């Protein structure tokens, strides 16, 4: 493991410890309503500051893009941080949330970490070196169609402008599938695609910190990540579709006629 990835792993574990310890005092948590169906707790903020402090001690000149504190300028390295992806789950003691840390160099993802502090599962990826969980190399599933597939998603609850279009996509993708799962943490769902636990995933309206680490995990595990139209603009649009190459093409063909022009 490279030194910079070691720092990311250390930061993720330290943030995870804060998150898990704070669960014992959930009634004392300070919760802020950021926007419709979008919350942040003091735990998010404390975990993020812990990550940033660890990064700053090791790499004081690096730039940071963090969900809660925003962007700070720096050199060609950018750390993309979601200290607690799945805050609503966390606040309800629903055990599906994660710490997500990605590192870009000159605009290209180089390292990705997704850490589930409850299961103590550390998903890691380095460009060109594969994706790993507990010293085991990860591979996306091999299904070629949605028949029997388990597919993850995220309901566009913050902005319901595209709800009808989303429901049409849900209808065609669920036909013949083993099931659709809406678990509430995109970062962890993407890690599950990389690990073959989910066969595919799609969601609208994601932010860079939701998906950066997961995107690299999937790419290094042999998967494909695009926007809904099969193009490479998912960071700009926030709309993402992913699976192994054959299943990805199958899913994209199914939803193509249900994608409004404003999402292409």
């Amino acid at each position: 493991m490279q030194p910079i990835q070691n720092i990311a792993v250390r930061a993720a574990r330290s943030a995870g410890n804060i998150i898990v310890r704070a669960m014992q005092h959930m009634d004392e948590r300070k919760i802020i309503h950021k926007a419709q169906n979008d919350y942040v707790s003091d735990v998010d903020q404390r975990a993020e500051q812990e990550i940033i402090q660890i990064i700053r001690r090791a790499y004081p000149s690096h730039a940071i893009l963090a969900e809660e504190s925003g962007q700070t300028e720096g050199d060609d390295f950018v750390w993309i941080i979601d200290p607690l992806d799945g805050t609503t789950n966390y606040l309800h003691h629903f055990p599906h949330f994660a710490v997500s840390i990605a590192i870009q160099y000159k605009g290209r993802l180089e390292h990705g970490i997704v850490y589930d502090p409850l299961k103590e599962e550390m998903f890691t990826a380095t460009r060109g070196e594969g994706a790993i969980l507990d010293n085991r190399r990860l591979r996306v599933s091999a299904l070629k169609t949605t028949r029997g597939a388990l597919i993850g998603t995220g309901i566009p609850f913050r902005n319901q402008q595209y709800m009808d279009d989303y429901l049409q996509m849900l209808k065609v993708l669920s036909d013949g599938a083993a099931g659709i799962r809406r678990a509430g943490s995109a970062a962890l769902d993407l890690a599950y695609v990389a690990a073959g636990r989910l066969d595919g995933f799609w969601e609208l309206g994601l932010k860079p910190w939701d998906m950066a680490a997961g995107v690299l995990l999937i790419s290094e595990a042999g998967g494909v990540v695009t926007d809904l139209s099969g193009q490479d603009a998912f960071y700009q649009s926030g709309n993402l579709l992913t699976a192994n190459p054959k299943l990805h093409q199958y899913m994209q063909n199914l939803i193509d006629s249900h994608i409004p022009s404003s999402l292409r």
Side-chain angles (χ1 to χ4, degrees), residues 149-195:
L150 186 63
I151 301 171
T153 189
I155 300 170
F157 60 91
R158 291 192 185 100
N159 182 354
Q160 300 200 357
Q161 176 183 359
Y162 298 111
M163 182 61 79
D164 289 343
D165 303 298
Y166 168 82
L167 290 174
Q168 289 301 313
M169 298 178 204
L170 176 65
K171 181 178 179 180
V172 296
L173 288 172
S174 63
D175 185 24
I180 304 290
R181 297 290 181 266
R182 197 285 185 200
S185 170
L188 199 49
D189 292 342
L190 293 174
Y192 280 17
V193 174

Side-chain angles (χ1 to χ4, degrees), residues 226-249:
T226 70
D227 60 19
L228 300 182
S229 300
Q231 305 303 311
D232 196 28
F234 53 91
Y235 273 120
Q236 293 75 23
S237 68
N239 306 320
L240 180 147
L241 175 69
T242 183
N244 71 64
K246 290 187 181 299
L247 179 57
H248 176 277
Q249 185 61 60

Side-chain angles (χ1 to χ4, degrees), residues 192-238:
Y192 280 17
V193 174
R197 297 176 181 177
L198 290 171
D199 297 291
F201 179 86
W202 92 102
E203 186 166 353
L204 284 64
L206 292 172
K207 301 297 184 182
W209 46 79
D210 297 322
M211 55 180 159
V215 163
L216 187 61
L217 282 165
I218 291 169
S219 297
E220 289 296 317
V224 174
V225 185
T226 70
D227 60 19
L228 300 182
S229 300
Q231 305 303 311
D232 196 28
F234 53 91
Y235 273 120
Q236 293 75 23
S237 68

